[in-house]
Amino acid sequence: MGLRMDDIHTPTVVSGPTSGQRVNGVDKDKLSLMEMISEKTRVEEELSALGSVLDSHGVKMDTSLTTFDGYPRDDIDIAQIRTTRARIIHLRNDYKALMSKIELGLHDHHAAYQASNLASTSMSSYRNGEDNVGSHGIPEAPFARVNSVVTGSPADQAGLKAGDRIRKFENVNFMNHERLSKIAEAVQRNRGRHLPVKISRDAEELTLQLTPRDNWGGRGLLGCHLVPL
């Protein structure tokens, strides 16, 4: 039947970031804040793809790859699963380190923002005294764009227009939107309720009130199409 391999399901990897120290030829320690945010998105996409590989085999990170008596399973591609698991571990380590750097970068960015007194020199780009810094001192960078809006839809009635860039959707922002999946969750749990949506439109920063609802005459609860930036 073959050799018993009691630990075949355990990928052998070292701890800590190990997916290379350069991104597009640039040392990871020298990436700008926006470059780190782009790298965060790339890592999330790769982790999602790798998760799909495990799903295709019907296994998870901790699923045993041996039979009850300790022999390698012959119904799955063990080599591919081990390689995929190892890559996921590498990327999770990288992702944790990257998020820490992004957090520091955001604080540094906000400190520089305050020091240069940009708020007083850019009042023309704000509306009703709003700015693009969150209540906790974290800049609210746009993370999604309105691709289209259906006439007469909840999004249309709220004032959303094609080309608007979403900075915050209820409590969803560019740090936690998870490829816009968190927006979908916020919409589903707030049917019939007003949701604050912060947007950038040309030189303006606006806050709209959007009410997801059924039976407005079209598909979905909003009547608009959002795409990630």
Side-chain angles (χ1 to χ4, degrees):
M1 181 179 290
L3 298 175
R4 291 189 56 175
M5 302 181 70
D6 296 329
D7 61 350
I8 193 172
H9 60 283
T10 305
T12 304
V13 295
V14 296
S15 60
T18 52
S19 294
Q21 295 304 313
R22 302 179 72 83
V23 176
N24 295 328
V26 179
D27 192 303
K28 283 187 176 181
D29 292 332
K30 297 180 180 179
L31 292 178
S32 67
L33 178 57
M34 293 310 297
E35 287 172 334
M36 287 191 290
I37 292 172
S38 295
E39 176 66 3
K40 166 183 172 290
T41 299
R42 186 199 66 76
V43 172
E44 289 173 342
E45 290 175 345
E46 186 174 351
L47 282 170
S48 177
L50 292 170
S52 296
V53 173
L54 295 184
D55 290 342
S56 70
H57 289 285
V59 301
K60 300 183 181 300
M61 289 295 289
D62 57 354
T63 301
S64 176
L65 305 184
T66 59
T67 62
F68 72 94
D69 52 354
Y71 291 96
R73 291 171 53 180
D74 59 6
D75 60 326
I76 52 178
D77 187 338
I78 292 178
Q80 183 182 39
I81 294 171
R82 283 173 55 85
T83 299
T84 301
R85 285 177 171 178
R87 181 61 178 165
I88 288 174
I89 292 173
H90 289 323
L91 287 176
R92 285 178 176 176
N93 289 331
D94 283 354
Y95 190 80
K96 182 178 180 180
L98 189 60
M99 292 300 292
S100 295
K101 291 179 180 179
I102 289 175
E103 183 177 359
L104 290 174
L106 286 171
H107 286 296
D108 290 344
H109 178 85
H110 181 52
Y113 182 91
Q114 290 182 316
S116 61
N117 199 25
L118 287 179
S120 63
T121 60
S122 303
M123 287 301 294
S124 61
S125 67
Y126 302 133
R127 178 179 179 181
N128 297 328
E130 294 176 351
D131 59 27
N132 65 346
V133 179
S135 60
H136 298 290
I138 298 177
E140 294 170 346
F143 63 91
R145 176 173 55 83
V146 180
N147 194 43
S148 61
V149 178
V150 179
T151 302
S153 66
D156 182 41
Q157 294 174 355
L160 275 177
K161 296 181 179 180
D164 287 347
R165 292 175 297 159
I166 307 297
R167 296 189 292 116
K168 192 172 184 181
F169 193 104
E170 196 198 26
N171 294 320
V172 181
N173 56 49
F174 83 105
M175 287 288 288
N176 64 8
H177 66 88
E178 296 183 10
R179 303 298 293 172
L180 306 188
S181 65
K182 292 301 181 181
I183 286 185
E185 292 178 10
V187 169
Q188 288 295 330
R189 68 171 177 266
N190 287 285
R191 297 183 185 218
R193 300 177 183 174
H194 295 311
L195 293 177
V197 180
K198 291 187 178 182
I199 66 168
S200 294
R201 178 184 297 161
D202 298 325
E204 290 187 295
E205 308 290 347
L206 311 175
T207 298
L208 308 177
Q209 296 297 321
L210 177 58
T211 306
R213 59 186 174 85
D214 298 296
N215 304 320
W216 57 269
R219 297 176 58 186
L221 300 176
L222 300 182
C224 66
H225 179 224
L226 304 181
V227 293
L229 293 176

